[in-house]
Amino acid sequence: MLSVLDIASQKQVLAKKGSMGEKPFSLAGLKYPEVFQEILTCDSEMLRIFQHVEKFAETDNSVLIWGESGSGKELIARAIHMISKRKDNNFIAVNAGSFADDLFTSEFFGHERGSFTGAVKDKKGFLEEADGGTLFLDEIGELSLPIQVKLLRVLQEEEFYRLGSTHNVKIDVRIVAATNKNLFDEIKRGKFRKDLFFRLNINAIHLPPLRERQGDVQFLAEHFLSEFTKQYKKSIERISAPVMKLLKNYSFPGNVRELMNLINSAIVVESGKELRKDSLPSYFLDQCRVQPEVLFNGQKLKSLQEVEKDHIRMVLEHTNHNKTVSAKILGISRVSLISKVKKYELEK
Ligand SMILES: Nc1ncnc2c1ncn2[C@@H]1O[C@H](COP(=O)(O)OP(=O)(O)OP(=O)(O)O)[C@@H](O)[C@H]1O
Ligand SMILES: [Mg+2]
């Protein structure tokens, strides 16, 4: 007899095979497939990432998730928690960008009654709430430098003081952080502390943007079509070919969240059996008119300079920044390489 999970993953395989007409994508090779059921994808790179997530999750290391807004960082953080030995304790998600410094300190560390005007009773902070569990710090790149210092101290000492208290509190928290900023750039600009970065980036996960996931725009669009059609009790059966073409060629800066909202809004508007262009929001149609030629198969077409920069970066990483060896591989002089490294800000 098939378990619920078997049926769910069979459905996923069939759905993906059906919609893509390509080789089936399956979560079957994973150790914890049930944890990834909600993260819909048919992209092989995402499957590879799930395998890494499983390995990282079993350790108690800090994990840093890199990815654009709406690309699913929080879903991955939850998956890490669900796999980890901490799964029966709290998962506390905090958006680091949404607090001013003072508020962050009192919310993060908690406070004692009377420690500031308005502190009418003792309050546990996020750190204590997450004790024994996982603290997910989203938009870590938004934390101010003084708060970064405080956070690093807690991570190193595994204890802290509530605001207004002289008693230290011991905690056992796993940190999963996420960023949509390039933290290497933030470190260069003096906005992010290197020591905190290395403490957080022990295991790194890079989530690709939706536009780079093979087949996912169509797969997810069809999934959201069926979800919202049910939710709004409509009888829309398919997405028209011109709409699918526009979707596939769009860059989706807001990633899966943007695609989901777009289909949601279009379903509300559409009254026929097919989702047509006329039902799409005008911001989207305007964007499609502005940059139709910049994308090819949903991928942003890079300028020659961008390609050169990416390639030099890759070679430097491969040679551990050995300029002599890198210049040889690239077929240019060492002097010329040094000038390009400077131009593209690729110094280690
Ligand atoms: N692969 C996916 N399958 C289904 N839903 C997804 C997927 N990826 C993201 N979503 C949905 O898109 C929304 C955004 O996802 P999430 O909050 O995880 O993104 P994020 O990277 O943390 O975004 P932000 O940078 O804005 O915090 C959520 O509603 C989430 O459920
Ligand atoms: Mg998020």
Side-chain angles (χ1 to χ4, degrees):
M1 208 171 90
L2 289 175
S3 70
V4 175
L5 180 59
D6 291 334
I7 295 170
S9 62
Q10 271 206 350
K11 268 190 191 160
Q12 202 157 13
V13 172
L14 291 174
K16 290 174 182 185
K17 199 177 185 179
S19 70
M20 298 305 302
E22 289 167 6
K23 67 176 165 41
F25 170 101
S26 164
L27 298 178
L30 294 172
K31 203 166 160 191
Y32 311 92
E34 70 283 3
V35 166
F36 298 97
Q37 291 290 333
E38 278 181 31
I39 313 180
L40 302 168
T41 181
C42 56
D43 177 54
S44 54
E45 172 60 12
M46 287 294 284
L47 189 59
R48 206 179 65 88
I49 290 171
F50 293 170
Q51 285 160 353
H52 289 192
V53 167
E54 288 190 329
K55 299 239 167 69
F56 294 159
E58 284 175 343
T59 74
D60 211 24
N61 290 344
S62 299
V63 181
L64 182 60
I65 308 168
W66 302 65
E68 290 182 9
S69 175
S71 58
K73 297 187 291 296
E74 184 156 347
L75 294 180
I76 293 287
R78 285 182 190 278
I80 292 173
H81 176 72
M82 292 309 296
I83 293 169
S84 76
K85 64 177 174 22
R86 299 170 173 270
K87 65 176 185 301
D88 296 324
N89 294 317
N90 282 345
F91 173 87
I92 303 286
V94 180
N95 187 327
S98 59
F99 297 98
D101 274 15
D102 287 354
L103 189 59
F104 189 86
T105 309
S106 79
E107 294 289 319
F108 196 74
F109 297 100
H111 55 251
E112 302 275 292
R113 194 167 75 127
S115 57
F116 57 89
T117 323
V120 287
K121 53 182 180 183
D122 293 354
K123 186 172 184 287
K124 272 189 187 177
F126 301 135
L127 270 173
E128 273 176 272
E129 295 286 354
D131 194 20
T134 307
L135 182 62
F136 173 52
L137 291 174
D138 203 355
E139 294 192 33
I140 191 85
E142 299 295 327
L143 283 183
S144 71
L145 287 165
I147 299 282
Q148 290 177 31
V149 175
K150 289 185 182 172
L151 176 60
L152 182 64
R153 199 173 304 141
V154 177
L155 296 182
Q156 279 167 346
E157 291 165 14
E158 295 180 349
E159 62 179 34
F160 68 97
Y161 294 86
R162 278 188 188 173
L163 217 63
S165 165
T166 49
H167 299 293
N168 59 341
V169 182
K170 287 237 169 257
I171 40 140
D172 164 30
V173 164
R174 182 195 205 167
I175 303 284
V176 176
T179 180
N180 53 25
K181 283 186 171 171
N182 182 338
L183 288 187
F184 290 115
D185 289 346
E186 296 303 297
I187 291 171
K188 258 189 220 152
R189 293 172 55 224
K191 300 276 183 197
F192 204 85
R193 291 184 63 101
K194 222 180 194 168
D195 43 12
L196 178 60
F197 172 78
F198 286 117
R199 181 65 186 69
L200 296 173
N201 199 44
I202 296 176
N203 292 140
I205 292 167
H206 290 259
L207 271 186
L210 177 60
R211 65 184 162 279
E212 286 174 14
R213 297 182 200 169
Q214 277 293 311
D216 268 5
V217 170
Q218 177 168 352
F219 178 67
L220 284 162
E222 284 170 353
H223 167 80
F224 292 132
L225 173 91
S226 109
E227 289 289 302
F228 291 118
T229 303
K230 254 185 261 156
Q231 185 177 326
Y232 296 117
K233 301 191 172 44
K234 299 254 181 160
S235 52
I236 306 160
E237 289 162 4
R238 61 192 165 269
I239 298 174
S240 77
V243 168
M244 192 55 92
K245 191 165 173 210
L246 287 181
L247 293 176
K248 283 183 177 172
N249 283 321
Y250 181 61
S251 62
F252 285 104
N255 292 283
V256 183
R257 181 186 290 116
E258 184 179 8
L259 174 62
M260 181 165 63
N261 293 343
L262 187 96
I263 302 287
N264 183 340
S265 136
I267 299 277
V268 170
V269 173
E270 181 60 62
S271 50
K273 290 241 175 271
E274 189 177 65
L275 196 68
R276 291 158 311 139
K277 229 168 137 176
D278 280 353
S279 309
L280 296 173
S282 37
Y283 95 86
F284 173 76
L285 293 172
D286 288 349
Q287 285 293 318
C288 292
R289 270 192 288 275
V290 177
Q291 21 162 255
E293 73 291 350
V294 189
L295 293 172
F296 177 67
N297 280 344
Q299 304 265 1
K300 180 174 172 282
L301 289 177
K302 291 181 180 170
S303 67
L304 273 179
Q305 286 212 347
E306 285 171 311
V307 172
E308 182 174 77
K309 178 178 175 181
D310 287 351
H311 188 61
I312 294 174
R313 180 192 284 129
M314 188 179 78
V315 172
L316 285 169
E317 277 170 11
H318 180 71
T319 64
N320 203 12
H321 280 252
N322 182 321
K323 299 225 173 52
T324 311
V325 180
S326 297
K328 251 190 204 140
I329 294 174
L330 291 163
I332 57 177
S333 70
R334 199 169 179 277
V335 174
S336 166
L337 174 62
I338 288 169
S339 105
K340 284 178 194 290
V341 164
K342 210 163 170 200
K343 174 176 159 195
Y344 294 132
E345 298 185 336
L346 292 171
E347 288 96 351
K348 202 176 182 183

